[in-house]
Amino acid sequence: MKLITAFAFCLVTVQAFAPKQHQSRHVGSAVRVTSEEIVANTLTDQQPRWLIEDFESGNRDMIKKMEVMLRQAQLDITKAIAEIDGGATFQEDAWERETGGGGKSMVLKDGKVWEKAGVNLSVVHGTMPQVALHAATERGNLAGKDDKVPFAACGLSCVMHPRNPHCPTMHFNYRIFQTSDNWWFGGGTDITPSYIDVDDMKHFHGTLKEVCDRHDPEYYPKFKKWADEYFLIPHRGERRGLGGIFFDDLNDRDPEEIFEFCKDAVNNVVAAYGPIIEKHKNDKFTNEQKRWQLLRRGRYAEFNLVYDRGTIFGLKTGGRTESILMSLPETARWEYDHHPRPGSREADFLDACKTPRNWV
């Protein structure tokens, strides 16, 4: 059984389940941490212990390994983003889940470049109720005799919404999920601009393709197609952006191989996205271009609220609202029956959202 579909997009929302909040603090720069520091048997506001110590599984060590890697990635990515922004720091929220695990949310607000950016880490374990499964999948009764599914999960999720309409929004998520009997990896990185810059898209997709090709030449075309299919807004007949890579239920080879792919992908998020932001963060823009960006953000919100399985899962299971809705932009716009002018850059972008293009 592939239970990952039920949990695949909820690692930012598993903060759900009534976590206990620690005091927030602001982080301006990251410090390298060691595996020993991460797995230390201590609990502090700054470094809570979240490891999957009570979950009985042959792959428990892989979740621990994934946690160490993703904790460092969270520090490295937030440090790089704060440096590119140059005007804001990330607020850090560490939390515990009483029935097992916890997480750390890092959110930047009101920056020079980003209106809002969040990078959330979750490392949790316990049992998943049947209602949670039905919130995220149409598959049959997957629960055990007691109507609960034992699970453990670890993942890092991120959404970044820039101010400038020439700077694209970016999202990524990399995770591992397991039950007592099986395990799966999932994730991906995708981009949502408001305008098409072909060189930007060649760089973004080209970086992702290079990562994929290092591990399997079939990954990029397969995962690019998967992203184009997943991020479709059916009631609009368009995608929320210009795609990237996306994969789920991945357990077709040695877990070490998939782990190394996830590690390579998450550690190249900044390489794929950062140069595009640096290139455009000081671009001049008009009120009309800002209006178009807000309209596209409306599409982003529609997808996340109506179709994203992680959002649905979190809201239907009483999740931590602030973490679930962190992915939404602070400002967006909806206009009745809006259509871009034929032949305009806006119309070209909309066409690319309706008919996915090959950028590399």
Side-chain angles (χ1 to χ4, degrees):
M1 284 186 287
K2 292 183 177 180
L3 294 180
I4 185 62
T5 302
F7 206 73
F9 308 93
C10 64
L11 287 169
V12 66
T13 65
V14 291
Q15 304 173 34
F17 312 99
K20 179 174 67 176
Q21 287 297 108
H22 284 302
Q23 183 177 3
S24 299
R25 64 191 182 109
H26 292 272
V27 179
S29 60
V31 178
R32 301 295 294 188
V33 293
T34 66
S35 300
E36 289 74 19
E37 290 170 331
I38 287 175
V39 302
N41 189 22
T42 58
L43 178 65
T44 68
D45 285 349
Q46 290 73 34
Q47 192 62 56
R49 177 173 61 87
W50 305 321
L51 292 178
I52 315 299
E53 296 186 349
D54 301 319
F55 188 77
E56 296 301 327
S57 169
N59 287 303
R60 185 172 60 186
D61 289 344
M62 179 54 71
I63 287 203
K64 290 184 178 181
K65 186 173 181 178
M66 192 79 165
E67 179 188 8
V68 171
M69 185 270 285
L70 292 180
R71 283 203 192 204
Q72 190 61 61
Q74 185 183 41
L75 294 176
D76 294 342
I77 290 169
T78 53
K79 179 177 185 291
I81 293 304
E83 288 176 351
I84 293 173
D85 186 273
T89 57
F90 279 84
Q91 175 179 317
E92 179 181 314
D93 256 334
W95 53 270
E96 296 174 69
R97 181 170 175 265
E98 292 181 359
T99 57
K104 181 169 69 172
S105 300
M106 297 183 70
V107 180
L108 178 153
K109 297 190 299 182
D110 299 324
K112 291 181 179 179
V113 175
W114 281 278
E115 182 178 279
K116 182 168 71 170
V119 187
N120 293 337
L121 178 69
S122 298
V123 187
V124 300
H125 62 94
T127 57
M128 180 182 294
Q130 183 69 26
V131 65
L133 294 175
H134 283 302
T137 181
E138 295 181 357
R139 302 183 187 197
N141 190 331
L142 302 178
K145 292 183 294 185
D146 60 352
D147 198 42
K148 296 291 182 68
V149 177
F151 77 93
C154 173
L156 187 67
S157 300
C158 167
V159 179
M160 299 187 182
H161 292 290
R163 297 183 181 279
N164 194 310
H166 299 295
C167 289
T169 287
M170 186 274 298
H171 159 261
F172 76 79
N173 177 287
Y174 292 94
R175 58 194 175 267
I176 184 173
F177 174 84
Q178 66 183 59
T179 64
S180 298
D181 303 320
N182 218 329
W183 54 268
W184 303 268
F185 288 85
T189 306
D190 65 282
I191 197 162
T192 304
S194 300
Y195 292 94
I196 294 176
D197 183 310
V198 174
D199 289 338
D200 291 349
M201 293 304 99
K202 286 181 177 180
H203 170 79
F204 183 81
H205 280 266
T207 302
L208 297 183
K209 185 178 184 300
E210 288 175 1
V211 170
C212 289
D213 288 350
R214 284 196 287 269
H215 301 269
D216 188 330
E218 295 183 1
Y219 272 176
Y220 177 76
K222 178 181 178 180
F223 296 162
K224 195 263 186 192
K225 182 176 184 291
W226 206 335
D228 291 337
E229 292 171 350
Y230 178 73
F231 293 109
L232 175 69
I233 308 172
H235 64 266
R236 297 285 187 183
E238 62 191 64
R239 281 96 191 139
R240 77 176 188 189
L242 300 184
I245 58 172
F246 175 86
F247 61 95
D248 210 352
D249 295 348
L250 203 60
N251 67 349
D252 62 346
R253 61 197 70 195
D254 189 289
E256 289 288 343
E257 291 184 36
I258 307 176
F259 169 81
E260 289 300 329
F261 168 62
C262 291
K263 180 179 179 180
D264 200 4
V266 76
N267 286 334
N268 275 280
V269 164
V270 175
Y273 181 56
I276 298 174
I277 299 300
E278 292 280 21
K279 176 181 173 181
H280 294 290
K281 67 182 183 180
N282 296 317
D283 285 1
K284 296 185 182 302
F285 58 88
T286 66
N287 290 335
E288 195 64 21
Q289 289 169 333
K290 185 65 178 180
R291 172 172 163 256
W292 173 249
Q293 180 196 42
L294 296 180
L295 285 168
R296 294 313 306 174
R297 284 183 178 178
R299 299 292 196 265
Y300 199 98
E302 286 178 24
F303 175 85
N304 281 32
L305 291 174
V306 179
Y307 298 109
D308 183 77
R309 279 175 261 171
T311 303
I312 294 170
F313 177 95
L315 294 177
K316 286 191 174 183
T317 53
R320 182 177 181 243
T321 304
E322 290 303 310
S323 297
I324 298 167
L325 300 184
M326 183 278 298
S327 64
L328 297 178
E330 289 193 350
T331 56
R333 186 181 182 99
W334 285 264
E335 293 183 14
Y336 179 74
D337 199 26
H338 179 271
H339 298 279
R341 177 174 51 82
S344 64
R345 292 185 65 196
E346 290 81 2
D348 183 45
F349 176 81
L350 185 57
D351 176 73
C353 290
K354 292 183 175 181
T355 306
R357 301 176 186 178
N358 293 320
W359 304 103
V360 293

